[in-house]
Amino acid sequence: MIRTSLISLLSIAVTCIMAQASYAASGAVDELVYKTQQGDTLIGIGSQLSNPSDWKQIQRINHINNPKLILVGSTLHIPVTILRSEDAPATVISVEGNAQVNQQPLVAGALLTSGNEIVTGKDGFALIKLANGSKLAVQAGSHITLTALKKYTIDQTFSSTVDRQKGRIETERAKTNSASPRNRIITPS
């Protein structure tokens, strides 16, 4: 009886560990996939991180023995949380009816930054172009926050996070040959 219970517990533990590993391998961690170029070293890549000594984390994640020797064309997985980024403002393309940014009138041509709140009235609409070329159509009766609008310095790609508290937004992803844009929409649960 005890042996059967112990085997059952061990089986459950192995299943949980495998599920966790599968979750991590599925790309659930937000990461940038970087293709190495001539002359890249982990220490050099570290200069593109928020904390340059985080190159050791990239070494560990990617199982690299020699940080000074990386084959050209190798793929590195880098958590976006350690990447250096800069602001990547969005631009208001058009506005119809009642629309506000941070409780002020929203106007075409305005630049929007991380943290800006957009609210459209019952007759309101706003079309916003993100720095990566993607577009957001904020429909009437909506409330969104541009949580993060970033450009990663390591590969010049963009990341946008929009929190929709209320209403509806439609998106049109930018057509690009570079790495795919990271657009994340957070919705109420």
Side-chain angles (χ1 to χ4, degrees), residues 1 31 35 46 51 53 63 76 116 129 132 136 155 158-160 164 167 169-170 181 185 187:
M1 178 76 165
E31 64 183 23
K35 191 163 238 165
N51 179 357
S53 66
H63 310 288
L76 298 180
N116 283 163
K129 184 176 183 180
N132 66 18
L136 293 176
D155 66 351
F158 297 92
S159 176
S160 304
R164 181 187 60 86
I169 58 177
E170 295 176 9
I185 309 291
T187 60

Side-chain angles (χ1 to χ4, degrees), residues 144-164:
I144 68 166
T145 301
L146 302 173
T147 308
L149 302 174
K150 299 178 183 181
K151 176 181 178 182
Y152 295 116
T153 58
I154 192 168
D155 66 351
Q156 306 302 301
T157 58
F158 297 92
S159 176
S160 304
T161 303
V162 178
D163 185 1
R164 181 187 60 86

Side-chain angles (χ1 to χ4, degrees), residues 49-69:
L49 306 177
S50 295
N51 179 357
S53 66
D54 281 343
W55 66 264
K56 296 172 189 172
Q57 186 175 346
I58 297 169
Q59 180 180 21
R60 187 181 72 253
I61 291 168
N62 292 280
H63 310 288
I64 297 172
N65 294 326
N66 184 348
K68 295 179 182 176
L69 178 63

Side-chain angles (χ1 to χ4, degrees), residues 5-164:
S5 296
L6 188 57
I7 290 172
S8 294
L9 282 174
L10 186 57
S11 174
I12 291 170
V14 168
T15 302
C16 288
I17 290 169
M18 290 179 71
Q20 238 177 351
S22 173
Y23 177 76
S26 71
V29 174
D30 198 9
E31 64 183 23
L32 177 125
V33 177
Y34 177 74
K35 191 163 238 165
T36 59
Q37 302 168 16
Q38 183 75 31
D40 274 346
T41 64
L42 285 181
I43 296 166
I45 290 170
S47 68
Q48 297 294 318
L49 306 177
S50 295
N51 179 357
S53 66
D54 281 343
W55 66 264
K56 296 172 189 172
Q57 186 175 346
I58 297 169
Q59 180 180 21
R60 187 181 72 253
I61 291 168
N62 292 280
H63 310 288
I64 297 172
N65 294 326
N66 184 348
K68 295 179 182 176
L69 178 63
I70 306 173
L71 297 175
V72 173
S74 297
T75 300
L76 298 180
H77 298 271
I78 305 173
V80 296
T81 55
I82 66 172
L83 290 173
R84 183 183 306 148
S85 65
E86 54 192 41
D87 291 335
T91 305
V92 179
I93 297 173
S94 66
V95 178
E96 293 177 20
N98 181 20
Q100 297 184 332
V101 57
N102 301 334
Q103 300 178 345
Q104 298 295 318
L106 184 63
V107 295
L111 291 181
L112 303 172
T113 58
S114 296
N116 283 163
E117 286 191 45
I118 315 299
V119 177
T120 54
K122 291 180 182 179
D123 66 341
F125 171 84
L127 183 60
I128 300 168
K129 184 176 183 180
L130 302 175
N132 66 18
S134 297
K135 294 177 185 172
L136 293 176
V138 185
Q139 304 297 320
S142 296
H143 179 186
I144 68 166
T145 301
L146 302 173
T147 308
L149 302 174
K150 299 178 183 181
K151 176 181 178 182
Y152 295 116
T153 58
I154 192 168
D155 66 351
Q156 306 302 301
T157 58
F158 297 92
S159 176
S160 304
T161 303
V162 178
D163 185 1
R164 181 187 60 86

